[in-house]
Amino acid sequence: MKRNSAKTVSVLLGCLFFLAGCAPAFPPEEGIPSKQEEPEIVLTGVPDGKEVSVYAEEVSSFLDASADEQRDILLAWGEETEVTQIRQYITFSWDSTQDPPYVLTFSRDARFENAFQVQSETDSITLGLFIPGETYYWKVTSASGVQSDAGSFIVEDKTARFLYVPGLDNVRDLGGWGTESGKRVKYGMIYRGTQLNGYQNGTLLKEAGKEVFALLGIRSEIDFRTPGVDDGGQNESAIGDAVQYLKAPFYAYTCIFPEFEQRAPFDRDFDERTPQAIRSVFEFLAEESNYPVYIHCNAGADRTGTIAFLINGLLGVSYKDLTTDFELTSFSGIGRRWRGDLYDAENLGFGVMQDDPDNYVAWGKMYDYMMTYYGTEEHTLSSAVRNYLTAACAVPQKTLDRVCELLTVQEGA
């Protein structure tokens, strides 16, 4: 929206001389204050230098809650409640006397080094790609080159990083979580979310979404779907020709364990493709040049959630935090993903939320299998996951060490 500068009219009033010899009515020319011109672009919408709230109230409460409180939050929805899709937006706006298009420049450095830019045809834009806890600096430049003063804002920090990628749902960063060694998982390395190619009217990456991926610098796409079954025939990256594409199909949850065999209520067994698929994923993640990576299945929940469990579990993220991250899918509009059947744990058994022809969701049971069959004397999830990856999937220790090196950073660094 253009804003016209207000015109000012100066009215000079003569001085009444009460005493002979009083000072002249007009001050010397050099004493006249210089006229202050109003800025042509003024940043609005985001309070300068302040923390910006980016989490919806429901998500914020869930992230702050204990495990038992999280369970109560999920149960309070009721079985028929439709959960609104929630993303981590910030809307930027500005008043301007200038014509569009505008270029917004963002940086985590006050000197605007290592900056990124987005373009807007209007005087506002909504973006959802900022890292929790970070301070950003921003400015707006018009088509004619007129520039605003710089502003800054601090992104609210509750670890979880949701991203707004037009066309997609359930997109978030695997990073931010603390580990048992005092490190944290790096942001900006692995992103998880829904399918990109619109299989069976599913999510389809839009051109605006590709622009977001370009800003994130995505170099690779890993697809966990089965060729010819549920992948819509995708055999190259939907993000762009320059993006690497890895297909690593497998079934989720307890189907990754050789020990798993089930005959009721439905036949389910170990997926023999698992060792090759998971080994290829970790070998891929051991190459620094492949990052940042986008991983997905169709809903970005089950197979994607299983790989997220293995990656962040290996890095030393606690089971509580892994479960919180897993259950955040419930807020995305994709559908509920819970650690187990919260209504009646005896119905499907411990740690199973769903077991029917439509889907199999067994988060808690997967954890139970991991600790039962691959637990070590250290009694940590990270050691169990490492044992599983080496024993069941033949992933070399040096590969796992390299993944840990690339994906973690010392807390506070």
Side-chain angles (χ1 to χ4, degrees), residues 102-160:
Y102 302 100
V103 174
L104 286 73
T105 305
F106 295 90
S107 176
R108 285 185 276 170
D109 185 285
R111 296 165 295 182
F112 286 89
E113 296 181 357
N114 300 314
F116 68 89
Q117 295 182 323
V118 296
Q119 183 171 301
S120 176
E121 296 293 334
T122 65
D123 58 1
S124 69
I125 191 170
T126 297
L127 299 171
L129 46 75
F130 300 99
I131 297 175
E134 292 287 343
T135 297
Y136 285 86
Y137 300 86
W138 70 297
K139 57 187 176 183
V140 175
T141 306
S142 70
S144 61
V146 173
Q147 191 172 97
S148 71
D149 291 335
S152 67
F153 59 94
I154 304 165
V155 184
E156 183 182 10
D157 187 5
K158 292 183 183 293
T159 303

Side-chain angles (χ1 to χ4, degrees), residues 345-388:
E346 295 182 1
N347 183 34
L348 294 172
F350 172 76
V352 180
M353 173 191 166
Q354 183 177 355
D355 191 356
D356 57 37
D358 293 328
N359 204 5
Y360 175 58
V361 181
W363 176 264
K365 189 172 183 178
M366 175 174 63
Y367 169 74
D368 188 47
Y369 263 66
M370 182 66 73
M371 300 306 294
T372 298
Y373 293 104
Y374 295 92
T376 69
E377 293 181 354
E378 296 178 42
H379 301 293
T380 62
L381 176 59
S382 61
S383 64
V385 171
R386 180 177 283 265
N387 188 26
Y388 164 77

Side-chain angles (χ1 to χ4, degrees), residues 76-287:
W77 294 344
E79 294 188 60
E80 304 303 322
T81 302
E82 291 292 334
V83 182
T84 304
Q85 189 171 353
I86 297 171
R87 295 178 176 133
Q88 197 167 316
Y89 302 132
I90 300 178
T91 298
F92 302 89
S93 58
W94 53 95
D95 291 335
S96 175
T97 62
Q98 300 295 303
D99 292 325
Y102 302 100
V103 174
L104 286 73
T105 305
F106 295 90
S107 176
R108 285 185 276 170
D109 185 285
R111 296 165 295 182
F112 286 89
E113 296 181 357
N114 300 314
F116 68 89
Q117 295 182 323
V118 296
Q119 183 171 301
S120 176
E121 296 293 334
T122 65
D123 58 1
S124 69
I125 191 170
T126 297
L127 299 171
L129 46 75
F130 300 99
I131 297 175
E134 292 287 343
T135 297
Y136 285 86
Y137 300 86
W138 70 297
K139 57 187 176 183
V140 175
T141 306
S142 70
S144 61
V146 173
Q147 191 172 97
S148 71
D149 291 335
S152 67
F153 59 94
I154 304 165
V155 184
E156 183 182 10
D157 187 5
K158 292 183 183 293
T159 303
R161 182 190 181 195
F162 298 83
L163 293 104
Y164 172 42
V165 182
L168 307 185
D169 293 323
N170 198 25
V171 182
R172 55 188 189 270
D173 196 322
L174 257 67
W177 304 101
T179 72
E180 61 194 16
S181 64
K183 296 182 177 182
R184 63 177 173 84
V185 183
K186 291 180 183 177
Y187 287 112
M189 298 294 281
I190 303 178
Y191 300 95
R192 57 177 293 178
T194 53
Q195 63 168 308
L196 309 178
N197 66 332
Y199 168 71
Q200 289 191 342
N201 297 316
T203 55
L204 177 65
L205 181 63
K206 297 180 179 179
E207 286 302 317
K210 292 182 180 180
E211 293 174 6
V212 173
F213 276 168
L215 289 173
L216 296 173
I218 301 296
R219 292 182 179 178
S220 306
E221 174 186 349
I222 304 179
D223 186 348
F224 305 124
R225 299 174 299 172
T226 299
V229 176
D230 69 339
D231 69 343
Q234 183 178 345
N235 54 24
E236 60 184 17
S237 179
I239 302 170
D241 294 340
V243 176
Q244 296 186 78
Y245 181 74
L246 174 66
K247 198 79 152 203
F250 71 99
Y251 294 132
Y253 304 115
T254 50
C255 294
I256 68 172
F257 297 106
E259 296 81 5
F260 177 61
E261 181 179 341
Q262 175 182 294
R263 293 294 166 258
F266 293 90
D267 284 352
R268 301 190 187 280
D269 294 298
F270 170 61
D271 183 352
E272 294 183 354
R273 302 172 302 171
T274 299
Q276 172 59 35
I278 291 180
R279 184 166 59 251
S280 69
V281 169
F282 279 87
E283 288 173 347
F284 193 86
L285 296 179
E287 294 294 333

Side-chain angles (χ1 to χ4, degrees), residues 327-344:
E327 292 182 328
L328 283 174
T329 289
S330 302
F331 296 90
S332 71
I334 289 298
R336 303 175 194 215
R337 292 299 187 279
W338 295 350
R339 65 201 75 178
D341 186 350
L342 302 185
Y343 292 107
D344 181 6

